[in-house]
Amino acid sequence: MTKPQPLRRLVVVLGDQLDPDHSLVAALDPARDRVFMAEVREESTHVHSHKARTVLFLSAMRHFRDSLLGRGIRVIYLELDTHDYPDYATALADEIRTNPPREVVMLQAGDMRLQSSIEAAVAAADLTLQIRADPHFLCDSEIFSEWLSGRKQPRLEHFYRFMRRR
């Protein structure tokens, strides 16, 4: 009987990053890497969300999980009401503690609140977090920050013009 290899990489996939061609999922090694996904109440309650939207969102996440499993990819998936984690970062921190990877990899979250909490959870575990640009955005946060610097009254209309020129 062969001993399972230690976990090399934990790939965090957020609920708004369910792309069948997800770049991090495409690059993982199913024998040494694992995908982490979690349904947590806070993500649909910190900003009001219609129940139908939440149901659709969770359904999409579960279908994505099932497609990954069908491709032979190992997935840690926490369904709502099967755990007591108050937020995503706490769930991730517990998974890291239980099965420590060498590093954690993710696409940049679209929500800075969530991104900051994930960064803090990984840093508290003294692990490396690789954050890659999310290819679903036309502009990354660095480009936006550059555009924003020095502006006294930024207007979205001006940013849109900048992006159209770019």
Side-chain angles (χ1 to χ4, degrees):
M1 182 174 203
T2 60
K3 182 180 172 185
Q5 294 183 346
L7 185 61
R8 176 182 71 161
R9 198 176 279 145
L10 186 64
V11 178
V12 173
V13 175
L14 302 175
D16 61 352
Q17 299 173 340
L18 309 178
D19 183 347
D21 299 319
H22 192 292
S23 58
L24 298 178
V25 172
L28 65 76
D29 177 352
R32 300 186 307 154
D33 302 334
R34 185 172 32 227
V35 170
F36 177 82
M37 298 175 71
E39 301 172 6
V40 292
R41 194 168 311 283
E42 181 190 50
E43 292 309 308
S44 63
T45 60
H46 81 277
V47 173
H48 175 71
S49 187
H50 192 280
K51 287 180 184 178
R53 179 188 179 278
T54 300
V55 167
L56 186 61
F57 206 80
L58 297 178
S59 175
M61 287 179 66
R62 292 174 184 185
H63 280 87
F64 187 76
R65 171 207 56 203
D66 294 345
S67 74
L68 293 177
L69 292 171
R71 292 166 41 195
I73 296 170
R74 296 186 304 167
V75 180
I76 298 300
Y77 191 94
L78 303 176
E79 286 191 17
L80 201 59
D81 296 331
T82 64
H83 62 82
D84 294 324
Y85 301 117
D87 54 50
Y88 197 93
T90 305
L92 178 61
D94 192 50
E95 177 58 30
I96 290 170
R97 231 181 346 269
T98 305
N99 292 304
R102 288 193 203 140
E103 67 178 349
V104 179
V105 183
M106 69 179 295
L107 295 179
Q108 176 82 41
D111 180 337
M112 291 310 296
R113 171 196 55 83
L114 179 59
Q115 183 67 49
S116 296
S117 67
I118 291 171
E119 288 175 14
V122 175
D126 199 28
L127 290 173
T128 301
L129 174 62
Q130 286 189 32
I131 303 169
R132 310 262 173 81
D134 187 337
H136 301 104
F137 290 102
L138 296 174
C139 163
D140 64 27
S141 57
E142 290 176 12
I143 292 171
F144 181 72
S145 293
E146 287 175 22
W147 174 84
L148 188 61
S149 70
R151 295 183 185 270
K152 293 180 182 172
Q153 292 187 325
R155 304 260 190 267
L156 207 49
E157 174 186 348
H158 298 154
F159 178 69
Y160 291 158
R161 287 180 188 167
F162 163 76
M163 286 301 294
R164 283 194 296 269
R165 281 192 305 270
R166 192 167 179 271

